[in-house]
Amino acid sequence: MKKHLISLSVVAALGMSTLATTVNAAGFKPAPAAGNLGAMLVNPYGNSPLTAILDLGGKFPTDVKVEVQGKGKNGVAIRYPVGPQTINTYDGIPVFGLYANFQNTVTVSYQLQGKPVSETYQVLTGAISNDYLDNRNITAMQEVKVKTVAKGFEDRLYMVNSHTYNQQGSDIHWAGEKGKSADMFQSSPAKGALPFENPPMTYVVDTQGEVRWWLNQDAVYNAADIDINKRGYLMGFHDTGHGGYSFVQGQRYGSFTLLGNVNSRRLPRGYIDASHEHNLMPNGHSLVRAAKSNYVNQQGDLVHTVRDHILELDKDGNLVDVWVLPQILDPYRDALLEALDMGAVCLNVDMDHQGETAEMKIDAPYGDIPGVGAGRNWAHVNSVDYDPADDSIIVSLRHQGVMKIGRDKQVKWILSPSEGWNKALAPKLLTPVNHKGKAISCTPKGKCEQGFDFTYTQHTAWLNRDKHRLTVFDNGDGRGLEQPALPSMKYSRFVEYKIDEAKGTVEQTWSYGKDRGYEWYSPITSNVEYRKDHNTIFGFGGSINLYSPGERTVGKINEIDYDTKKVKVEIDVLSDKPNTPHYRALIVNPTSQFGQ
């Protein structure tokens, strides 16, 4: 076994490489390689300081495997194979999962010219930092507390998609909000959702609570720059299936790799304010939730809409199709809107209005506020999934319900209490049934018998393709289309439904969370999905404790055994500032990222 010392300070001094160079008559000549291959390059793209690339040094290794050894007695070792496509892409071997401010031990094994080789490197990293501190900070970085990790789950890695509060978002607005389309440029405050932003905190934690990956905030964001291309919320992550993660942020959408290579492009002309979701279709097209600028609504006003358009974009950025939800659905349905807690409407948090509800008025101001009509936050789409079985999309509208919409822009079904739907859409409502297929009695507000419950202000209505069922994070605000007598009566759930589209029925097949009550209640954000590898429901309650004044908000990572409902994993991440929600979390599999 050969050991080699690679220092981050050397990397910084040389600008992106540990290869020392000298100039002679023959030109530049690299120093001798550290091992059989080339040098270990820490933070190769300048955005991901807990990663490195082992340069090939002109060689062609095969059967490559990497192990980043755990720190201390109980440290989590990260092991993964590296496939030929990945090696070609990086012209090297990616090293992922280094500890911050630590001399890491990394073993790389491979075949070289038919002979096995194993090399051990000592890789030194520096500290990571949050660049957005102010007098509201309780901690400089978000704190991780491990509660439960069952046997067999020790090697799990979780990416946390979070943010830190920043007061600078209000310094950018869309100019010249429009009035009636006849007098296009009235002088009135700008609308849309452009100021919807905060600095990202994006990292991976292991089951010991150690941070094993960090995306530098300035890779995508810069609060000091008026350029809207680096403003917004970094969110909507999905594993692309080919070595990266999708994202949206304000006026851009794109992807990043764990090595920190970021690629993005502007939204097509005429579309603005992307957030919440960038999901991928099997053909590689992107489904992006955005909004429309200069849209003429049913009242004849020219507005910027808010979170109510779904764009299908090909790999070159061409706009293939658009789902215009104000035309497909009813933007004037207010059954849930008038039951919402105005203290938090997704990531727009206003503690001064906690517990209050509001009347939805047709002549209310336009903008990023709960309200009816295009130009207000009537829909609040927070997830989009694609069903290849019938070329349709499934959308979660926080303020309306969950529905499936075809390529022909016709609604196939709606999962929601029946109150407030117009005559055209009411026939699309799914009928709740029990496990025997018998109809369950429900009130128009959604109070049902036999344990069935609808979702309220839900997030991530995603298909479980292994079971062909729908998993949803049921946040639970406005449950029963009302506010409860006491806030402590609220609860959230992980829930699964089986939908029979031919019969127009829905059966609740699994749920978890009601019994954990208010201490597990996550009023906004959050996500849930089924994991086949461990037969668990994995989820993240991103806003627990949000309404406790002056206290840090808890993002709770859970894996729940599907059969027994026992907690297999529970890890809390705490916000660095009080009353600041997290967004989502997802499981990271290095093999799927690097094994191709």
Side-chain angles (χ1 to χ4, degrees):
M1 301 284 283
K2 299 180 180 178
K3 293 188 176 182
H4 314 282
L5 177 64
I6 307 298
S7 171
L8 182 62
S9 61
V10 176
V11 176
L14 295 176
M16 290 294 286
S17 172
T18 57
L19 289 176
T21 58
T22 57
V23 180
N24 56 29
F28 288 93
K29 184 178 181 180
N36 284 285
L37 303 178
M40 184 77 77
L41 314 175
V42 180
N43 194 12
Y45 292 96
N47 296 323
S48 186
L50 304 186
T51 65
I53 286 178
L54 178 57
D55 188 76
L56 299 180
K59 309 271 184 15
F60 300 95
T62 60
D63 193 23
V64 177
K65 296 179 177 64
V66 173
E67 177 181 347
V68 179
Q69 295 183 20
K71 181 169 64 174
K73 179 180 177 182
N74 298 316
V76 176
I78 296 178
R79 305 179 182 92
Y80 54 90
V82 182
Q85 178 178 305
T86 300
I87 292 172
N88 288 338
T89 297
Y90 292 111
D91 192 30
I93 298 170
V95 175
F96 157 80
L98 301 172
Y99 293 92
N101 200 27
F102 185 70
Q103 185 170 295
N104 294 264
T105 302
V106 179
T107 301
V108 182
S109 61
Y110 53 91
Q111 294 276 333
L112 190 62
Q113 296 178 342
K115 296 180 180 180
V117 179
S118 181
E119 299 174 336
T120 297
Y121 294 82
Q122 300 300 314
V123 184
L124 185 64
T125 58
I128 56 175
S129 65
N130 172 14
D131 294 333
Y132 293 91
L133 302 175
D134 58 36
N135 62 308
R136 297 182 74 241
N137 273 84
I138 298 173
T139 55
M141 301 291 288
Q142 296 186 351
E143 189 177 353
V144 182
K145 293 186 176 182
V146 178
K147 301 295 186 67
T148 302
V149 178
K151 185 177 180 180
F153 288 80
E154 297 91 343
D155 62 349
R156 282 296 210 207
L157 299 167
Y158 302 98
M159 182 182 290
V160 179
N161 176 199
S162 188
H163 303 83
T164 185
Y165 181 77
N166 176 44
Q167 298 188 48
Q168 294 184 259
S170 60
D171 64 359
I172 50 175
H173 295 275
W174 290 118
E177 172 55 17
K178 319 301 186 291
K180 294 292 182 183
S181 56
D183 17 281
M184 191 167 166
F185 292 99
Q186 287 189 343
S187 177
S188 60
K191 301 301 186 290
L194 180 64
F196 182 78
E197 69 146 11
N198 265 330
M201 297 190 78
T202 314
Y203 53 96
V204 170
V205 298
D206 66 20
T207 54
Q208 290 293 309
E210 296 277 3
V211 173
R212 306 299 294 272
W213 180 83
W214 170 260
L215 184 68
N216 284 344
Q217 292 159 305
D218 58 7
V220 292
Y221 184 85
N222 185 351
D225 193 342
I226 202 64
D227 181 4
I228 61 173
N229 291 318
K230 299 202 80 172
R231 305 294 287 267
Y233 267 93
L234 180 69
M235 58 203 318
F237 301 169
H238 287 274
D239 190 329
T240 64
H242 46 82
Y245 293 90
S246 61
F247 74 87
V248 286
Q249 182 180 277
Q251 313 317 310
R252 303 189 75 81
Y253 70 100
S255 65
F256 62 84
T257 69
L258 291 176
L259 272 293
N261 190 16
V262 180
N263 290 292
S264 68
R265 64 172 74 237
R266 277 293 297 266
L267 292 171
R269 182 181 181 277
Y271 295 92
I272 57 174
D273 303 342
S275 62
H276 292 79
E277 191 74 297
H278 174 189
N279 212 335
L280 296 174
M281 300 169 68
N283 63 0
H285 288 190
S286 293
L287 288 170
V288 172
R289 205 283 294 125
K292 183 71 180 71
S293 62
N294 301 326
Y295 178 87
V296 180
N297 67 15
Q298 293 182 32
Q299 295 171 251
D301 289 343
L302 196 64
V303 299
H304 298 331
T305 74
V306 179
R307 304 186 185 93
D308 57 8
H309 281 61
I310 313 299
L311 313 184
E312 179 185 348
L313 300 140
D314 70 15
K315 293 181 179 180
D316 295 319
N318 298 307
L319 187 55
V320 176
D321 207 349
V322 185
W323 284 261
V324 183
L325 297 185
Q327 298 176 13
I328 297 170
L329 300 171
D330 178 8
Y332 293 96
R333 178 179 178 264
D334 60 6
L336 178 58
L337 281 161
E338 292 196 338
L340 294 179
D341 187 333
M342 292 294 110
V345 181
C346 193
L347 292 168
N348 291 331
V349 178
D350 187 348
M351 298 297 291
D352 292 338
H353 294 288
Q354 179 188 347
E356 297 179 9
T357 59
E359 182 182 354
M360 299 296 111
K361 296 182 179 180
I362 199 168
D363 59 350
Y366 290 113
D368 190 3
I369 58 172
V372 293
R376 305 181 189 94
N377 195 4
W378 69 273
H380 199 112
V381 176
N382 54 41
S383 78
V384 186
D385 202 4
Y386 177 74
D387 188 353
D390 58 0
D391 193 27
S392 297
I393 61 171
I394 297 171
V395 288
S396 165
L397 280 71
R398 182 182 189 267
H399 299 162
Q400 301 295 332
V402 179
M403 54 275 303
K404 188 177 195 181
I405 305 171
R407 177 70 65 180
D408 59 2
K409 313 305 181 293
Q410 297 300 305
V411 176
K412 291 179 177 287
W413 51 255
I414 299 172
L415 178 59
S416 164
S418 62
E419 184 165 302
W421 293 98
N422 63 29
K423 292 181 179 180
L425 294 171
K428 307 294 185 179
L429 290 164
L430 294 170
T431 300
V433 297
N434 62 21
H435 70 282
K436 295 181 179 180
K438 301 294 184 180
I440 293 173
S441 177
C442 297
T443 69
K445 290 184 177 294
K447 296 182 179 180
C448 303
E449 298 176 349
Q450 302 184 44
F452 182 94
D453 203 356
F454 289 99
T455 64
Y456 298 85
T457 61
Q458 74 291 316
H459 285 71
T460 61
W462 291 336
L463 270 180
N464 168 1
R465 288 172 174 79
D466 295 302
K467 296 177 178 288
H468 204 77
R469 294 181 183 178
L470 191 72
T471 54
V472 190
F473 191 100
D474 174 18
N475 296 81
D477 186 31
R479 192 175 300 281
L481 303 183
E482 62 185 9
Q483 287 293 311
L486 298 172
S488 59
M489 298 170 68
K490 296 181 179 182
Y491 59 89
S492 298
R493 301 184 302 154
F494 299 165
V495 61
E496 177 191 76
Y497 296 104
K498 180 181 179 181
I499 295 171
D500 189 324
E501 296 187 354
K503 295 180 179 178
T505 60
V506 56
E507 175 191 352
Q508 181 177 294
T509 51
W510 194 95
S511 68
Y512 175 89
K514 182 177 180 179
D515 292 343
R516 296 195 62 169
Y518 191 68
E519 65 91 21
W520 206 73
Y521 173 61
S522 188
I524 59 175
T525 66
S526 314
N527 62 284
V528 67
E529 63 177 320
Y530 174 74
R531 298 293 301 194
K532 183 179 180 180
D533 57 349
H534 282 61
N535 192 35
T536 56
I537 296 288
F538 159 70
F540 180 69
S543 53
I544 294 170
N545 207 37
L546 180 67
Y547 291 140
S548 299
E551 295 188 19
R552 288 181 287 177
T553 305
V554 177
K556 190 175 288 291
I557 295 168
N558 274 126
E559 288 203 59
I560 310 300
D561 186 271
Y562 188 86
D563 295 326
T564 67
K565 295 189 179 178
K566 290 184 178 180
V567 177
K568 295 298 184 180
V569 176
E570 184 157 309
I571 299 173
D572 291 351
V573 294
L574 307 181
S575 62
D576 58 308
K577 295 175 182 177
N579 312 112
T580 305
H582 313 273
Y583 186 55
R584 289 182 188 168
L586 64 158
I587 293 174
V588 173
N589 184 350
T591 297
S592 71
Q593 289 292 310
F594 303 122
Q596 300 178 60

